[in-house]
Amino acid sequence: MTEKEAAAGGAIDIEQLKALADKAGSEIVHVDFVEGGEGLPSQIPVLLDRTAGVVRDLRPLFEHWRDRPERRSGTARVLTLESFIALTNRHKLPESAIFADTDWQKPSLTAVIDYHNSTASGGAADNCKHRIRYDFPLSEEWRAWIAKDGEPMGQGDFAQWIEDHITELAAPHGEESDNILKTFGFKAALPNELQMLSRGLQVHAETRVKSHVTLQSGEGALTFEEEHLDASGNKLVVPGMFLLSIAPFFMGDKARIPVRLRYRVRGGAITWSFHIYRPDVHITEQLREDMEAAGAACELPVFEGAAEA
């Protein structure tokens, strides 16, 4: 075979290489393994360079002419759970496995296609280099609520926030409302109640002083009581909670998430804040559902954690 033929991608002739090496005072020999090792061939070709007195590896010579990878490797990143399932099903092997990172702030699923064989299959190690990863993308709605969580807002800003996100509020149903009342000790607001509360609320603080005297000892105490009244002078009743109905993950299923509502009155001005109740619980619940759905759809085992690097 000529050099031109080799450059065109022709097969490499070991005998021809051997003959060329012999002319230069070198020789291609095969080194046998005394005992075979896992993942190793029984023998390898090397160049015995008599002139330099060294043995040279021939692998780089062959690798230079490789026109496709020796094995599948790399990590494919998908944007939806459906794509994760579809791509995993396309490439999966009997020993493939799925690993779930359940950190609620950065959850992910990773399918390791070339995972190690199970003990029942001989327990042979594999490369773990071919992977498919799905980083659960948090929805824009969820990111917005998390960013404002616990942040004080004036009456105008709070009203604007509720107006902009009114479609993400939910009305509690009967059983849900009863559970909230039993768990937290107060009722959950309906979306229209929260909207009315935010639009035009004036709060008047009425402070009364009560005197308590113990006749036996003559000791006395003063007690200050503050009551918040609305613009009409009626006692102000502010719901302690409302419900969100949003999908924590992009294009995911919606979750009903309780949110605490708080207010403060200082110098005649009212300040509002909301506090999402246990956001980690809702993210983790959704993650577990998707994790189980992926395992069932791909017919692969799912493990919480990370595969070997």
Side-chain angles (χ1 to χ4, degrees):
M1 182 181 64
T2 65
E3 183 179 347
K4 183 177 181 181
E5 289 173 334
I12 296 178
D13 189 337
I14 293 293
E15 293 302 323
Q16 186 178 17
L17 286 176
K18 184 176 182 300
L20 291 172
D22 288 341
K23 291 180 180 179
S26 300
E27 180 182 4
I28 294 177
V29 298
H30 289 83
V31 179
D32 298 323
F33 285 103
V34 178
E35 295 182 3
E38 288 290 338
L40 294 173
S42 60
Q43 60 176 213
I44 58 171
V46 296
L47 177 64
L48 179 59
D49 188 341
R50 295 188 178 90
T51 303
V54 297
V55 176
R56 302 186 186 279
D57 182 14
L58 289 177
R59 181 182 178 86
L61 176 63
F62 287 91
E63 290 296 328
H64 178 74
W65 294 95
R66 183 181 293 282
D67 59 4
R68 66 180 60 187
E70 182 179 10
R71 63 177 64 90
R72 295 176 182 178
S73 64
T75 301
R77 296 183 180 271
V78 295
L79 300 179
T80 64
L81 182 62
E82 291 75 13
S83 293
F84 175 82
I85 292 171
L87 194 57
T88 300
N89 279 331
R90 176 174 179 173
H91 293 290
K92 69 180 181 181
L93 301 171
E95 301 300 335
S96 299
I98 297 174
F99 291 85
D101 185 344
T102 53
D103 181 350
W104 75 274
Q105 293 182 317
K106 49 179 181 180
S108 66
L109 291 177
T110 301
V112 183
I113 302 302
D114 52 343
Y115 196 58
H116 309 305
N117 293 338
S118 65
T119 304
S121 304
D126 212 324
N127 293 284
C128 300
K129 296 296 185 182
H130 186 199
R131 304 185 177 208
I132 300 166
R133 183 180 174 96
Y134 173 50
D135 293 302
F136 285 83
L138 300 180
S139 67
E140 291 299 323
E141 296 86 356
W142 179 254
R143 289 179 185 273
W145 282 95
I146 287 293
K148 284 287 186 179
D149 187 35
E151 181 178 314
M153 289 183 282
Q155 181 70 37
D157 292 337
F158 181 62
Q160 184 65 52
W161 178 266
I162 296 300
E163 289 287 345
D164 291 344
H165 298 270
I166 190 66
T167 59
E168 297 159 12
L169 305 182
H173 50 65
E175 182 180 353
E176 193 173 39
S177 183
D178 292 340
N179 289 336
I180 289 174
L181 185 61
K182 185 184 300 183
T183 303
F184 299 100
F186 39 68
K187 68 182 290 288
L190 298 173
N192 64 316
E193 292 176 334
L194 194 62
Q195 193 173 38
M196 291 176 61
L197 194 66
S198 69
R199 279 179 175 173
L201 183 66
Q202 289 181 320
V203 180
H204 301 281
E206 181 180 286
T207 303
R208 296 187 298 273
V209 181
K210 291 185 178 181
S211 176
H212 300 274
V213 179
T214 304
L215 296 179
Q216 183 179 8
S217 64
E219 294 177 348
L222 294 178
T223 303
F224 292 85
E225 293 183 350
E226 184 175 78
E227 187 177 61
H228 292 161
L229 308 175
D230 62 17
S232 301
N234 300 316
K235 186 175 180 179
L236 180 66
V237 179
V238 177
M241 181 167 283
F242 60 92
L243 286 179
L244 290 178
S245 178
I246 60 175
F249 301 126
F250 175 67
M251 295 184 67
D253 296 329
K254 288 187 176 182
R256 298 173 70 82
I257 304 169
V259 182
R260 295 178 184 269
L261 180 62
R262 294 175 182 169
Y263 76 100
R264 296 286 184 272
V265 179
R266 291 190 179 92
I270 186 169
T271 300
W272 296 93
S273 65
F274 59 80
H275 305 262
I276 300 174
Y277 180 70
R278 294 297 304 276
D280 58 315
V281 171
H282 306 289
I283 289 288
T284 303
E285 284 180 356
Q286 187 64 52
L287 173 61
R288 288 185 182 279
E289 290 180 8
D290 292 343
M291 178 180 73
E292 293 171 1
C298 297
E299 298 181 334
L300 293 175
V302 181
F303 306 96
E304 291 190 40
E308 298 88 330

